[in-house]
Amino acid sequence: MIPFFTINQSDKNTSSRAGILHTDHGNISTPCFMPVGTYGAVKTQSSEEIVDLPSPVLLCNTYHLYLRPGIEILQKVGGLHSFMNWKGAILTDSGGFQIFSLEEFRKVTDDGVTFRSHLDGSEHHLTPEKIVDIQRIIGSDFMMMLDVCPSGDADYKTWVDALNTTTNWAKRSMKHYRETESIYGYKQVLISIVQGGTDKKLRRQSTSELCELDADAYAIGGLAVGEPKSEMLETVEWMDEFLPKNKPRYLMGVGTPADLVRNVARGVDMFDCVIPTRNARNGQLFTYDGKMNIRNAKHKSDFSPIDVNGISPMSETYTRAYLHHLFKTEEILGYRIATQHNLRFYIHLMKTIQDEIITGNFENWASSFLNRYDDEN
Amino acid sequence: MIPFFTINQSDKNTSSRAGILHTDHGNISTPCFMPVGTYGAVKTQSSEEIVDLPSPVLLCNTYHLYLRPGIEILQKVGGLHSFMNWKGAILTDSGGFQIFSLEEFRKVTDDGVTFRSHLDGSEHHLTPEKIVDIQRIIGSDFMMMLDVCPSGDADYKTWVDALNTTTNWAKRSMKHYRETESIYGYKQVLISIVQGGTDKKLRRQSTSELCELDADAYAIGGLAVGEPKSEMLETVEWMDEFLPKNKPRYLMGVGTPADLVRNVARGVDMFDCVIPTRNARNGQLFTYDGKMNIRNAKHKSDFSPIDVNGISPMSETYTRAYLHHLFKTEEILGYRIATQHNLRFYIHLMKTIQDEIITGNFENWASSFLNRYDDEN
């Protein structure tokens, strides 16, 4: 039997490692970045364009898909892969983060969470078991457990409560996962989510409790939710100590290109973030030199290509002046070009990172990348 | 020297004809439909996707391009083809229709038209000569003269005034066109625009006055501006009598698939319209059976392809249920799929029309098309 995760190269100078996630929808080289397709579509892009990035995996959202199109539709069509015509792998976030963002409309009990839909106000009750069931119907290759994700400015007591509930729910999730089967015949793994805010003791406790469940992969939740960046990096460093080396680590909701490089050095294997797609729609493009905003007047008559680094065919075909014009006239083509550029840049960056780890040059490369990359964040 | 327009086949039973427009940016088989890319981009589509429709030509708007990006940018980059990376032909509407839509903000004198920009309120004065100059800078293969386009509910006196000013401006346009040259070295033709509302005498007068100028092509303006459809068809029938047979006729701003078929039968060679693109973004799809609105609840769990007629790869790849979902969640991909489908349908329809004219079967085919096609309009 092929193992779920193999590490091909562990870096000598940093905690970075290059590996492969084996799924029934193809292999995924790590460290990897997963484009976000919340509702079963990466904003502005077609499934074919995600294949061509190339990305072997994308992330969708259980909470959003549960509300629209709803699990009845997804069950009828035989899962999300079929619904969106996507042959690669899918990771579905549990929706915990989204539900806990509905501050005024949700209530957490030991049993689960009750909330009102942000769409029509209808009331819903979701339990850890039901979140597994929904993802069985979605048919995601990587399922996530329901967790409690406090906001970045939460206090210690909130962190402790979130941790305890998350552990309790993780046990129920894993039990239910082991008692149920994939509906469509392919393997689905279940990822547990470590909480504990930015407190070392709590993070150690959460990791220790979750490791007893022996999940296939570990997500680091509760970061990139408003805490200072230095605290995020320090917390990931602790997690590198606590987490088992032989399992993939997924840092949820991170981040900028510089964040990716810094967290790969701290042992993270998987990332997802809306930054490349959302910022693209605001005109922000990423390059190896840093960010540029194409709406800036200096691009108005700049007839050089968007990017000359071979990142994206569209970036070489169209000029900065044309893209500037498309943004000024609010043409959807502008959002498409910028989104494709940013996603291709992220994927190119991850491929470079993988190569540099494999050749043993990651530390030098990362230092030179971070020197060159102008990260105003 | 290759003539600008050759007719390969004139139908025996109707006024339809199949021909070729020869431009320095390729040949265009007629009857043709030109996708609308107002600002130098067909909404939601890339230039490559327009090539792949396949469309050898697109329509852009002089008024809009004059305001954004402005002629300074277009002159610097060497014209619109280069700016938008489009190697096919371009027709630019003169902008008369758009300017005359700014009812409260424009003033017509014998010299030209003064108006305030719909964007920033800035005042502009455009003359027939300047409209030619702008299109020289844009570098469109087909330039249009500045005309006066009254609204559909205008009275007879308004039609007469519009006709007289249009003839006067046409003379000045043609004189200026003959005194100036293409900036980028390729041929640009100038199309005159017949006015006269839905009055037969006025249409005859306008045609007669314009024919003295011996333009390369004739546009039928002042229709599809709110008049009853029967009056539009009757007016086009008159125009078929008045216009020279050996020059292409362009019916501006028309129309639905059934409109195209009916007006081809009345001798029209060229069309443009925002219907396939604008309606696509509202969820309306065209098929050989008529219109369907993908937002309709009946498509929610319809897992059949969008269209099985080989119209568009996306229409065969994605299901109606998925497209319904994309519209419900306002995903840009939905607008892209629907737009591509509609444009491909229009192009497929025009190719079918060309083939049926050439084989002498157009009248039968048109009758069977109109029987099958459910045109609620």
Side-chain angles (χ1 to χ4, degrees):
Chain A
M1 194 182 136
I2 302 170
F4 164 60
F5 182 53
T6 49
I7 297 175
N8 297 329
Q9 183 74 40
S10 291
D11 190 40
K12 287 191 182 65
N13 306 313
T14 70
S15 291
S16 68
R17 54 270 191 90
I20 293 176
L21 294 162
H22 303 269
T23 82
D24 283 350
H25 289 98
N27 291 344
I28 303 157
S29 296
T30 63
C32 71
F33 176 83
M34 300 178 283
V36 177
T38 306
Y39 278 111
V42 176
K43 297 215 178 298
T44 79
Q45 301 292 295
S46 70
S47 296
E48 293 77 20
E49 285 162 340
I50 302 304
V51 172
D52 289 344
L53 289 175
S55 178
V57 58
L58 58 77
L59 176 143
C60 302
N61 193 282
T62 304
Y63 164 76
H64 286 103
L65 291 168
Y66 164 77
L67 294 178
R68 295 187 297 191
I71 51 179
E72 194 191 337
I73 299 290
L74 290 170
Q75 188 146 33
K76 267 192 196 168
V77 74
L80 182 59
H81 291 82
S82 168
F83 187 58
M84 65 179 290
N85 191 43
W86 169 252
K87 291 169 183 62
I90 296 174
L91 181 146
T92 38
D93 190 358
S94 66
F97 177 75
Q98 284 70 30
I99 295 167
F100 289 96
S101 304
L102 306 168
E103 285 195 27
E104 286 171 36
F105 302 103
R106 49 95 179 141
K107 188 168 174 255
V108 183
T109 61
D110 283 347
D111 182 57
V113 58
T114 304
F115 64 93
R116 288 193 180 280
S117 157
H118 71 283
L119 297 169
D120 61 4
S122 58
E123 192 171 294
H124 300 264
H125 182 66
L126 292 178
T127 63
E129 290 83 5
K130 193 164 175 190
I131 283 288
V132 169
D133 288 338
I134 296 169
Q135 291 175 97
R136 288 290 193 200
I137 290 167
I138 291 172
S140 39
D141 302 270
F142 305 88
M143 307 194 291
M144 304 288 294
M145 295 178 180
L146 185 63
D147 64 333
V148 178
C149 182
S151 69
D153 56 359
D155 57 18
Y156 188 80
K157 165 89 170 53
T158 306
W159 284 346
V160 171
D161 290 347
L163 188 165
N164 289 332
T165 307
T166 296
T167 297
N168 175 32
W169 287 359
K171 288 177 188 166
R172 287 166 51 193
S173 301
M174 187 54 80
K175 180 166 183 289
H176 192 67
Y177 167 70
R178 289 183 172 141
E179 288 168 356
T180 55
E181 283 191 344
S182 161
I183 299 173
Y184 313 114
Y186 49 78
K187 184 171 168 64
Q188 298 183 282
V189 302
L190 182 63
I191 302 179
S192 59
I193 305 173
V194 180
Q195 289 291 345
T198 51
D199 183 86
K200 188 169 184 178
K201 190 174 137 283
L202 294 183
R203 284 280 168 184
R204 190 199 307 264
Q205 180 192 337
S206 178
T207 314
S208 156
E209 290 172 2
L210 293 175
C211 279
E212 283 176 30
L213 301 174
D214 195 28
D216 286 303
Y218 292 90
I220 304 169
L223 291 181
V225 288
E227 77 287 351
K229 199 152 278 194
S230 58
E231 292 186 16
M232 174 183 83
L233 290 171
E234 193 179 23
T235 306
V236 175
E237 253 173 51
W238 298 332
M239 298 304 304
D240 181 38
E241 285 177 45
F242 307 154
L243 287 168
K245 285 278 176 202
N246 63 335
K247 301 260 170 111
R249 294 98 171 261
Y250 162 30
L251 181 55
M252 302 177 76
V254 172
T256 67
D259 289 337
L260 300 188
V261 173
R262 291 192 182 104
N263 284 294
V264 163
R266 286 161 176 79
V268 174
D269 305 294
M270 303 165 71
F271 300 90
D272 81 284
C273 194
V274 295
I275 283 180
T277 42
R278 180 179 292 162
N279 292 21
R281 299 196 302 285
N282 294 325
Q284 188 177 87
L285 303 184
F286 295 98
T287 75
Y288 280 106
D289 294 314
K291 296 179 292 192
M292 70 168 164
N293 196 315
I294 203 67
R295 301 179 65 94
N296 193 306
K298 72 179 174 186
H299 299 300
K300 195 174 177 182
S301 58
D302 181 349
F303 302 116
S304 60
I306 296 164
D307 195 319
V308 292
N309 291 307
I311 300 294
S312 150
M314 277 183 160
S315 312
E316 295 186 306
T317 301
Y318 295 110
T319 63
R320 294 177 183 202
Y322 184 59
L323 188 56
H324 174 88
H325 169 67
L326 294 179
F327 268 88
K328 283 291 184 188
T329 51
E330 295 174 9
E331 287 287 346
I332 283 174
L333 178 59
Y335 310 141
R336 287 181 58 190
I337 294 172
T339 301
Q340 188 169 120
H341 170 83
N342 279 355
L343 285 176
R344 291 221 179 205
F345 176 75
Y346 267 63
I347 298 295
H348 193 276
L349 178 65
M350 299 317 288
K351 176 72 170 65
T352 305
I353 288 172
Q354 294 159 20
D355 292 347
E356 298 294 342
I357 294 171
I358 287 177
T359 57
N361 190 46
F362 175 75
E363 192 180 30
N364 283 338
W365 172 87
S367 155
S368 120
F369 170 86
L370 292 169
N371 263 333
R372 174 177 170 189
Y373 186 82
D374 180 16
D375 191 19
E376 293 152 48
N377 273 338
Chain B
M1 192 182 139
I2 301 170
F4 165 59
F5 182 53
T6 50
I7 296 176
N8 297 328
Q9 182 75 41
S10 291
D11 191 38
K12 287 191 180 64
N13 306 311
T14 69
S15 291
S16 67
R17 55 267 193 90
I20 292 176
L21 294 162
H22 303 268
T23 82
D24 285 349
H25 290 98
N27 291 344
I28 303 158
S29 296
T30 62
C32 72
F33 176 82
M34 300 179 282
V36 177
T38 306
Y39 278 111
V42 176
K43 296 215 179 297
T44 80
Q45 302 291 296
S46 70
S47 296
E48 293 78 19
E49 284 162 341
I50 302 305
V51 172
D52 289 343
L53 289 175
S55 179
V57 57
L58 58 78
L59 177 143
C60 302
N61 193 282
T62 304
Y63 163 75
H64 286 103
L65 290 168
Y66 164 75
L67 294 178
R68 294 186 297 191
I71 52 179
E72 194 191 335
I73 297 289
L74 290 168
Q75 188 146 31
K76 266 192 197 168
V77 73
L80 182 59
H81 291 83
S82 166
F83 187 58
M84 65 179 291
N85 192 42
W86 168 253
K87 292 169 182 61
I90 296 174
L91 181 145
T92 38
D93 189 359
S94 67
F97 177 76
Q98 284 70 30
I99 295 167
F100 290 96
S101 303
L102 306 169
E103 287 196 25
E104 287 171 34
F105 303 102
R106 48 98 179 138
K107 189 170 174 254
V108 183
T109 62
D110 284 348
D111 181 58
V113 58
T114 305
F115 64 94
R116 289 194 180 278
S117 158
H118 71 282
L119 297 170
D120 61 4
S122 57
E123 192 170 294
H124 300 265
H125 182 66
L126 291 177
T127 63
E129 291 82 3
K130 192 162 176 191
I131 283 287
V132 169
D133 288 338
I134 296 169
Q135 292 174 96
R136 288 289 194 201
I137 290 167
I138 290 173
S140 39
D141 301 270
F142 305 88
M143 306 193 290
M144 304 288 295
M145 296 177 178
L146 185 64
D147 63 333
V148 178
C149 183
S151 68
D153 57 358
D155 57 19
Y156 188 80
K157 165 91 170 52
T158 306
W159 284 346
V160 172
D161 290 348
L163 188 163
N164 290 332
T165 307
T166 295
T167 297
N168 175 31
W169 288 358
K171 290 177 185 164
R172 288 166 51 193
S173 301
M174 188 54 82
K175 179 166 185 289
H176 192 68
Y177 166 70
R178 288 181 173 141
E179 288 169 357
T180 55
E181 285 191 345
S182 161
I183 299 173
Y184 313 114
Y186 49 78
K187 183 171 168 65
Q188 299 182 282
V189 302
L190 182 63
I191 303 179
S192 61
I193 305 172
V194 180
Q195 288 292 345
T198 53
D199 183 85
K200 189 170 185 176
K201 188 174 140 282
L202 294 183
R203 283 283 170 182
R204 190 200 306 266
Q205 180 191 336
S206 178
T207 313
S208 156
E209 290 172 2
L210 293 176
C211 279
E212 285 177 27
L213 301 174
D214 195 28
D216 287 302
Y218 293 91
I220 305 169
L223 291 182
V225 289
E227 77 287 351
K229 198 153 278 193
S230 59
E231 293 186 16
M232 174 182 83
L233 290 170
E234 193 179 24
T235 305
V236 174
E237 251 172 54
W238 299 332
M239 297 304 305
D240 181 38
E241 284 177 47
F242 307 155
L243 287 169
K245 285 279 178 201
N246 64 334
K247 301 261 169 108
R249 294 99 170 261
Y250 163 31
L251 180 55
M252 301 177 78
V254 173
T256 68
D259 289 338
L260 300 187
V261 173
R262 292 192 181 104
N263 284 294
V264 163
R266 286 159 176 82
V268 173
D269 306 294
M270 302 165 71
F271 299 90
D272 81 284
C273 194
V274 295
I275 282 181
T277 42
R278 179 180 293 165
N279 292 21
R281 298 195 303 284
N282 294 325
Q284 187 177 87
L285 302 184
F286 295 98
T287 77
Y288 279 106
D289 293 314
K291 296 179 292 193
M292 69 167 165
N293 196 314
I294 202 67
R295 300 179 65 94
N296 194 305
K298 72 179 173 187
H299 299 300
K300 193 174 178 184
S301 58
D302 181 349
F303 302 116
S304 60
I306 296 165
D307 196 319
V308 292
N309 291 307
I311 300 295
S312 148
M314 277 184 160
S315 314
E316 296 186 305
T317 301
Y318 295 110
T319 64
R320 295 176 182 201
Y322 184 58
L323 188 55
H324 174 88
H325 168 67
L326 294 178
F327 270 88
K328 284 292 183 185
T329 51
E330 296 174 9
E331 287 287 345
I332 283 175
L333 178 60
Y335 311 141
R336 286 181 57 190
I337 294 172
T339 301
Q340 189 170 118
H341 170 83
N342 280 354
L343 286 176
R344 291 222 179 204
F345 176 76
Y346 267 62
I347 297 296
H348 193 274
L349 178 65
M350 299 318 287
K351 176 72 170 66
T352 304
I353 288 171
Q354 294 159 19
D355 292 346
E356 297 293 341
I357 294 171
I358 287 175
T359 57
N361 191 46
F362 176 74
E363 191 180 30
N364 284 338
W365 173 87
S367 156
S368 121
F369 170 86
L370 292 170
N371 264 332
R372 175 178 170 189
Y373 186 83
D374 180 16
D375 192 19
E376 293 151 49
N377 274 337

